[in-house]
Amino acid sequence: MTDASMDSVPVKGTLTTVDARTKKRNAAEKRFKAYGIVAILIGLFFLVVLAVSILRSGIPAFTQAEMQLEFVLTQEEFDAAESQVLKTKAYENIFITKLQDALTEKGLTVAFDAAAIERLLGKPGSTIREFYRANPDQIGQPVTFSLPASSRVDGYFKGRVSRDTVVDSRFFEASDLDLVDALADAGIIVRNFNWNFITGSDSGVDHPGGAGIGVSVIGSFFMMLVVLALSLPIGVAASIYLEEFAPQNWFTDLIEVNISNLAAVPSIVFGILGLAVFIQFMHLPQSAPLVGGLVLTLMTLPTIIISTRASLKAVPPSIREAALGVGASKMQTVFHHVLPLAAPGILTGTIIGLAQALGETAPLLLIGMVGFIARAYPEGVVSGFIDPNSAMPAQIYTWAARADAGFYEKAWGGIIILLIFLLTMNIIAIILRRRFERRW
Amino acid sequence: MYDIPHHTQETAVTDVKIKAKDVQVYYGDTHAIKDVSVEIENNTVTAFIGPSGCGKSTFLRCLNRMNDTIDICRVQGDILIDGEDIYDKRVDPVQLRAKVGMVFQKPNPFPKSIYDNIAYGPRIHGMARNKAELDEIVERALRRGAIWDEVKDRLQAPGTGLSGGQQQRLCIARAVATEPEVLLMDEPCSALDPIATAQVEELIDELRQNYAVVIVTHSMQQAARVSQKTAFFHLGNLVEYDDTSKIFTNPEDSRTESYITGRIG
Ligand SMILES: Nc1ncnc2c1ncn2[C@@H]1O[C@H](COP(=O)(O)OP(=O)(O)OP(=O)(O)O)[C@@H](O)[C@H]1O
Ligand SMILES: [Mg+2]
């Protein structure tokens, strides 16, 4: 049989030709796929925009312009300075002399006065004096001082401040930039990785260079400990009871509806509740991570309960029957068979709940965990829970609300650190889930 | 009508193990079991037959109070095991279920190792004093479940990794591992090949020496082969209950006859 003869006889219902209906169906399928891809691309686009803008605004926070100067302070200079009435001023004058010496050594001649140095560095005298009073053995030794430059100098290096935009004031003058350029050429002003941003504490409103997020990271850490220690056992116990033991009646239905509703309550409501109950009624310390943790526990509980119940529901009933069938009690059934199978889901839900709590700001502001509280590391574990502290998102909020543009950059940098923590938690969730799932 | 193997005809001296009287079961408003009274004898295999949805599984599950786990299920009437009402307030269903083992319609091994599947029951009932004893119990149970040879080299492999038929035999082994007095089996062979079925039937016959065995089956041949007593259920009613030989050769009720000859079902 030839092809020609095949064509001449119209064959009905052959599999090699596509009929109109199938064509239409295939087209619809293709269209649907295309919609999906477009949706994902849009999502990815916004993700990239977000990531790029966060990184672009936040990365500068991790570097800081510093004035690095190595010099030797002799015993006589120390004694002379200590005998003055204005001691820090004396140290400042020593610093200026040493700076001039260093510049002359490099063959540079730039004229500057004490006021200019103060505009560039704040008051260096007190830092230097404190150092030598704390380390008297360093007198007579070469010491390198790294002093954070002021917000405007820092901004000049990061492109935030330029000669055109700078407005002369008692904080800064355009001519100061010549001095900055000269010092930068001499290698005295350098841009360094800002460890202080990661490990430091919050600084005063006019000193963004010294601000760090470290103390509020610790605040967040203690808060998360409280949330984990309370919400995981309470949430899992409540879910197990509701899912496996509680009778189905109007009362449990009511509880169920209320839990779902609680999950939708705005977090600020929990904040004001915490303020009223934990601080005003129970007289727990203000601004303490313990109270923050309690408030966030209230907020996290519904999330954990809902996800735990969902993962308990997903365990096939045949497993429960099997266990009951060999004479296991209800509790043995739950703890030996159902819970291990539900564990990956419970863990995922818990970590998602914790991640939510970690990023929560509003309730913390209400109980006084605002950024400027985070001034010093707690002395121990107990004080970590009860000493006033802030938390990462509250710290970021505080920075974002401050006037100095240097803080704006710190806020973005803080967001990067917060996101790193959140990503880490999500990765832990994924690893734990894999690990548990491998136990079939 | 069917070949009745020789051994089933010798009617042993029997005592009543389970006595059900006027049992009614409701699922919400559905009346699933209507007025069923039956006496199940010790050292006997009793077969429950009947069309799909007639309540065989439901009635079987009443015998170890498995229906307690279904919220909407209500059971009325009396069910006595060794003269004790199992629905009495003082009876602990957990204790009851250790005494009345069950094999389910769908194989449901625990997602644990083969060894742990069998060892779980003996462990929670404290049947073994040490590891060696437990090993022995596991081996005996797996042998009785006619699956020992297939799994003896991979006791630590997951039970869920076995084939459907192997899983069902594992579940049977799990049920006998706790040494129950009554064994309830809900279509235990529906997933098995003829060879495994023959092995399980042999096992059932062996179990009869010590236990009362109740088996739900859709296979007339199987009912005829393994059971001494047969109960025919239809639409929630117990239509006829008698010696297997009687039911399959000379049924009283026309519905029974229609069913076993394949005219209804
Ligand atoms: N959990 C349940 N909830 C509500 N109704 C149920 C439930 N289980 C069984 N039923 C109903 O009870 C009746 C008897 O069901 P059952 O499972 O006992 O039938 P069966 O005889 O075992 O059928 P099969 O041979 O198909 O297994 C059916 O009408 C069924 O719809
Ligand atoms: Mg059934």
Side-chain angles (χ1 to χ4, degrees), chain B:
Chain B
M1 203 178 312
Y2 288 97
D3 288 343
I4 313 281
H6 184 67
H7 67 262
T8 57
Q9 279 164 340
E10 46 183 82
T11 5
V13 197
T14 50
D15 52 330
V16 175
K17 183 75 182 174
I18 304 173
K19 184 171 173 176
K21 206 161 165 294
D22 303 332
V23 175
Q24 320 276 351
V25 181
Y26 301 87
Y27 288 112
D29 293 333
T30 322
H31 198 171
I33 292 288
K34 298 163 192 160
D35 236 352
V36 169
S37 299
V38 70
E39 291 187 353
I40 291 167
E41 290 158 10
N42 212 356
N43 305 111
T44 304
V45 178
T46 306
F48 287 179
I49 60 171
S52 189
C54 67
K56 306 178 296 292
S57 301
T58 302
F59 187 66
L60 198 70
R61 290 163 59 90
C62 291
L63 302 181
N64 68 345
R65 290 186 59 173
M66 212 57 182
N67 285 335
D68 289 14
T69 57
I70 301 172
D71 276 334
I72 55 166
C73 183
R74 276 182 299 128
V75 180
Q76 291 169 2
D78 300 321
I79 298 176
L80 312 177
I81 292 185
D82 292 332
E84 290 176 317
D85 184 0
I86 63 168
Y87 280 89
D88 190 290
K89 284 225 161 21
R90 285 166 298 173
V91 170
D92 182 359
V94 172
Q95 215 174 330
L96 170 73
R97 287 185 202 123
K99 196 167 157 170
V100 183
M102 184 155 197
V103 177
F104 295 84
Q105 199 162 347
K106 270 182 280 172
N108 55 355
F110 298 130
K112 294 179 188 292
S113 72
I114 293 171
Y115 184 94
D116 287 337
N117 260 281
I118 307 296
Y120 181 68
R123 244 184 224 143
I124 58 173
H125 298 305
M127 290 167 62
R129 267 166 300 161
N130 52 43
K131 177 89 171 74
E133 268 185 33
L134 194 61
D135 287 350
E136 208 174 290
I137 291 176
V138 169
E139 178 173 346
R140 193 167 63 235
L142 286 171
R143 279 189 194 284
R144 294 171 89 182
I147 193 182
W148 171 252
D149 290 331
E150 284 154 77
V151 300
K152 63 169 183 273
D153 299 325
R154 44 170 173 153
L155 290 177
Q156 294 311 321
T160 39
L162 297 170
S163 79
Q166 289 173 325
Q167 288 187 14
Q168 188 61 304
R169 278 177 287 152
L170 181 68
C171 293
I172 295 173
R174 182 177 65 191
V176 298
T178 51
E179 303 285 352
E181 292 172 27
V182 178
L183 191 59
L184 310 175
M185 303 174 114
D186 197 343
E187 295 181 45
C189 299
S190 55
L192 300 193
D193 68 26
I195 298 168
T197 303
Q199 286 171 327
V200 170
E201 286 177 5
E202 211 172 293
L203 163 71
I204 291 171
D205 198 57
E206 192 193 306
L207 293 173
R208 179 167 77 94
Q209 310 306 322
N210 303 313
Y211 313 133
V213 180
V214 184
I215 175 170
V216 172
T217 178
H218 279 290
S219 157
M220 297 306 115
Q221 287 88 343
Q222 185 172 53
R225 278 195 304 263
V226 300
S227 71
Q228 289 78 49
K229 288 277 197 173
T230 298
F232 172 62
F233 286 82
H234 189 242
L235 299 176
N237 295 301
L238 176 62
V239 175
E240 196 168 347
Y241 175 57
D242 213 328
D243 286 347
T244 300
S245 49
K246 174 98 182 345
I247 295 266
F248 280 96
T249 51
N250 188 17
E252 306 251 308
D253 198 291
S254 59
R255 284 171 293 177
T256 316
E257 190 178 354
S258 315
Y259 181 70
I260 59 176
T261 53
R263 268 177 282 142
I264 58 168

Side-chain angles (χ1 to χ4, degrees), chain A residues 151-367:
Chain A
S151 165
R152 282 178 181 77
V153 177
D154 193 43
Y156 177 61
F157 279 93
K158 291 169 182 169
R160 201 170 61 227
V161 174
S162 69
R163 282 173 194 277
D164 313 326
T165 57
V166 72
V167 183
D168 283 357
S169 70
R170 79 188 157 87
F171 299 115
F172 210 68
E173 288 169 13
S175 59
D176 291 341
L177 290 176
D178 299 331
L179 176 59
V180 171
D181 281 339
L183 289 170
D185 285 342
I188 289 176
I189 290 189
V190 287
R191 205 171 150 189
N192 275 341
F193 187 78
N194 189 4
W195 281 110
N196 181 57
F197 177 62
I198 294 171
T199 59
S201 57
D202 193 19
S203 58
V205 282
D206 49 1
H207 186 43
I213 200 166
V215 175
S216 26
V217 169
I218 296 296
S220 280
F221 171 75
F222 280 105
M223 233 166 45
M224 287 303 114
L225 280 188
V226 175
V227 177
L228 184 68
L230 290 178
S231 64
L232 184 62
I234 296 178
V236 171
S239 325
I240 289 178
Y241 177 74
L242 285 174
E243 198 56 42
E244 306 282 337
F245 294 92
Q248 276 285 328
N249 55 29
W250 64 269
F251 186 65
T252 45
D253 284 349
L254 191 76
I255 291 178
E256 197 165 340
V257 169
N258 274 307
I259 288 173
S260 313
N261 283 342
L262 274 184
V265 168
S267 56
I268 198 152
V269 176
F270 287 107
I272 207 150
L273 188 80
L275 177 65
V277 175
F278 296 128
I279 294 179
Q280 289 169 355
F281 178 70
M282 289 165 68
H283 297 292
L284 291 175
Q286 256 184 44
S287 310
L290 173 69
V291 179
L294 288 172
V295 170
L296 293 181
T297 299
L298 294 180
M299 231 192 68
T300 315
L301 264 180
T303 315
I304 292 187
I305 292 180
I306 289 170
S307 68
T308 303
R309 291 189 67 179
S311 27
L312 288 175
K313 264 202 191 91
V315 175
S318 64
I319 298 292
R320 295 184 180 82
E321 291 198 325
L324 293 174
V326 295
S329 69
K330 195 104 206 197
M331 215 174 95
Q332 285 171 328
T333 303
V334 170
F335 282 92
H336 296 166
H337 301 285
V338 179
L339 211 50
L341 288 175
I346 296 175
L347 277 176
T348 314
T350 305
I351 293 179
I352 288 174
L354 282 186
Q356 249 177 32
L358 185 66
E360 200 54 67
T361 322
L364 303 185
L365 298 180
L366 281 183
I367 57 163

Side-chain angles (χ1 to χ4, degrees), chain A residues 74-157:
Chain A
T74 60
Q75 187 68 48
E76 296 82 66
E77 285 171 319
F78 178 74
D79 293 338
E82 285 298 317
S83 62
Q84 302 258 332
V85 182
L86 296 170
K87 294 186 180 65
T88 56
K89 187 72 190 167
Y91 281 97
E92 188 179 313
N93 290 335
I94 292 172
F95 180 77
I96 290 167
T97 324
K98 302 281 181 190
L99 182 61
Q100 247 145 4
D101 291 351
L103 284 173
T104 347
E105 209 173 287
K106 291 214 161 77
L108 290 164
T109 41
V110 200
F112 57 86
D113 54 6
I117 287 299
E118 280 182 17
R119 287 196 295 270
L120 260 52
L121 286 184
K123 293 206 187 324
S126 61
T127 317
I128 297 170
R129 177 169 183 240
E130 264 161 40
F131 174 81
Y132 281 112
R133 279 161 62 89
N135 308 285
D137 52 319
Q138 292 295 316
I139 296 170
Q141 306 285 329
V143 177
T144 308
F145 283 93
S146 291
L147 303 166
S150 75
S151 165
R152 282 178 181 77
V153 177
D154 193 43
Y156 177 61
F157 279 93

